């Protein structure tokens, strides 16, 4: 059967609520990840170094740079993302022969489709959020380029135009597309196993710690595997039109060029820089998002 209007409405509301809750709780981890992967990431020896220096020099408030944009713009993005995933998953399941199409293929395809659609909304949010997150007084930037969310939008539009807000669009799809596809493949398979083990029809009937653990593990694994793509995406988004802040700002012409140059200069360690913070962020964020999503949707 197709998704009913009531079911779609519940999916929409639950996804928006879950996205906002997760973003507010986990934003500092995303900030540390962005700073480690960004143009000044070499200043931090580790995640703990980034935490220590960020709080000591920029203050605790700086950990929430870009939160306004992430909540206001990212919440609709999460709503579109999860709603599109559910609709696409149902569509594929209802029109395919289960004997010919393995379930994970549908989850993989639905994750990719959902990411491609939500990126129309999410890429500008990501660009603004990450430019605010990576600016710091640690090292080069003695004066911050952007004073806040609105100032960032105005300056990006003035210098780079609308294209500036969509910088790294293809790289974002190439980064988040595989992540979403892998996450939902891992999550749906583990969810099916959990329901079978506990002999339950819904995840809301499974102990909450199981739901949290499965979504956290799925998010962590998908995040680690796609970490180099995310690092390349961030570096491309951080390039600032005509306002360079360091000699490395114009180094990359595209995602492949970026990954190649990072590998040549820093090896695999460079490609996976910030992966620890990325894994921590997505494990925490998706544990909250998917657990809240499943439980709010079931009400």
């Amino acid at each position: 059967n197709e998704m009913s209007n009531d079911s779609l409405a519940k999916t929409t509301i639950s996804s928006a609520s879950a996205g906002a809750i997760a973003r507010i709780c986990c934003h500092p981890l995303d900030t540390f990840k962005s700073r480690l992967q960004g143009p000044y990431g070499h200043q931090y020896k580790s995640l703990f170094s980034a935490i220590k220096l960020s709080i000591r020099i920029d203050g605790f408030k700086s950990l929430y740079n870009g939160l306004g944009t992430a909540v206001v713009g990212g919440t609709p993005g999460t709503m579109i993302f999860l709603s599109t995933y559910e609709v696409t998953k149902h569509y594929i399941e209802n029109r395919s022969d289960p004997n010919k199409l393995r379930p994970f293929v549908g989850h993989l395809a639905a994750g990719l489709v959902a990411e491609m659609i939500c990126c129309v909304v999410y890429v500008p949010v990501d660009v603004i959020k990450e430019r605010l997150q990576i600016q710091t007084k640690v090292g080069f930037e003695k004066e911050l380029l952007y004073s806040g969310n609105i100032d960032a939008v105005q300056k990006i539009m003035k210098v780079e135009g609308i294209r500036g807000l969509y910088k790294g669009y293809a790289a974002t799809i190439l980064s988040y597309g595989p992540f979403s596809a892998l996450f939902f493949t891992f999550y749906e398979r583990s969810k099916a196993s959990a329901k079978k083990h506990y002999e339950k029809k819904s995840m809301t009937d499974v102990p909450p710690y199981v739901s949290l653990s499965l979504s956290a593990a799925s998010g962590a694994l998908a995040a680690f595997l796609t970490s180099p793509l995310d690092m390349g995406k961030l570096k491309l988004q951080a390039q600032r039109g005509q306002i360079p802040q360091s000699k490395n700002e114009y180094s990359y012409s595209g995602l492949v060029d970026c990954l190649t140059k990072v590998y040549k200069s820093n090896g695999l360690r460079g490609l996976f820089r910030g992966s620890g913070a990325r894994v921590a962020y997505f494990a925490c964020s998706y544990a909250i998002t998917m657990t809240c999503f499943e439980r709010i949707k079931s009400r």
Side-chain angles (χ1 to χ4, degrees):
N1 297 326
E2 300 290 339
M3 285 187 73
S4 65
N5 290 335
D6 182 56
S7 179
L8 182 58
K10 286 184 177 180
T11 297
T12 302
I13 294 170
S14 58
S15 57
S17 303
I21 293 168
R23 172 54 65 181
I24 291 170
C25 293
C26 304
H27 193 79
L29 284 172
D30 190 40
T31 298
F32 296 135
K33 184 272 296 182
S34 296
R35 290 186 176 180
L36 282 164
Q37 293 180 330
Y40 309 129
H42 62 277
Q43 297 173 120
Y44 310 110
K45 295 180 180 179
S46 64
L47 172 58
F48 296 107
S49 170
I51 294 172
K52 181 180 178 181
L53 286 173
S54 293
I55 294 176
R56 184 165 62 105
I57 296 178
D58 295 314
F60 184 80
K61 186 179 178 181
S62 73
L63 305 187
Y64 284 90
N65 285 352
L67 177 63
T69 297
V71 172
V72 174
T75 299
T78 303
M79 179 182 69
I80 294 170
F81 172 61
L82 290 175
S83 298
T84 302
Y85 172 76
E86 289 289 314
V87 171
T88 306
K89 182 179 73 170
H90 277 77
Y91 181 87
I92 294 173
E93 288 175 346
N94 293 331
R95 284 168 173 75
S96 60
D97 184 348
N99 295 318
K100 294 181 179 180
L101 183 70
R102 292 183 177 274
F104 81 88
V105 177
H107 303 148
L108 197 75
L112 280 170
V113 170
E115 195 62 59
M116 289 176 69
I117 291 176
C118 82
C119 272
V120 175
V121 173
Y122 196 69
V123 169
V125 172
D126 210 34
V127 169
I128 297 164
K129 172 185 72 68
E130 289 188 335
R131 290 201 187 183
L132 286 166
Q133 286 177 313
I134 63 174
Q135 64 176 8
T136 171
K137 292 178 181 177
V138 180
F140 298 105
E141 294 192 18
K142 300 307 179 184
E143 291 188 13
L144 301 183
L145 183 60
Y146 308 117
S147 62
N149 296 279
I150 295 176
D151 183 56
V153 174
Q154 291 175 336
K155 286 180 177 176
I156 291 171
M157 287 292 291
K158 182 179 180 180
V159 176
E160 303 167 64
I162 191 70
R163 290 183 64 183
L165 293 177
Y166 281 91
K167 187 177 285 290
Y169 184 83
T172 301
I173 292 177
L174 290 173
S175 167
Y176 280 122
F179 166 81
S180 298
L182 289 172
F183 169 77
F184 281 115
T185 299
F186 299 149
Y187 179 64
E188 294 285 2
R189 290 295 295 273
S190 59
K191 192 168 73 169
S193 297
K195 288 190 288 187
K196 183 178 180 180
H197 175 77
Y198 287 97
E199 299 180 343
K200 303 294 183 182
K201 292 184 178 181
S202 171
M203 280 302 288
T204 55
D205 298 322
V206 173
Y209 72 86
V210 174
S211 178
L212 283 167
S213 300
L214 294 180
S215 50
S218 299
L221 182 55
F224 179 76
L225 292 175
T226 57
S227 189
L229 296 173
D230 181 65
M231 179 274 300
K233 180 265 302 181
L234 186 144
K235 286 185 179 296
L236 289 170
Q237 289 181 333
Q239 293 185 123
R240 296 175 180 173
Q242 299 169 24
I243 317 179
Q245 295 296 308
S246 82
K247 62 181 181 181
N248 295 321
E249 289 294 299
Y250 296 112
S251 296
Y252 315 113
S253 60
L255 184 60
V256 174
D257 179 57
C258 176
L259 295 177
T260 301
K261 288 179 177 176
V262 170
Y263 178 73
K264 285 182 177 179
S265 59
N266 298 297
L268 281 175
R269 187 173 182 178
L271 291 177
F272 282 90
R273 183 166 183 78
S275 60
R278 176 173 163 80
V279 166
Y281 169 72
F282 277 105
C284 176
S285 176
Y286 271 66
I288 295 171
T289 297
M290 299 311 297
T291 301
C292 290
F293 176 68
E294 299 278 9
R295 294 190 177 275
I296 296 172
K297 186 177 69 169
S298 67
R299 292 182 180 277

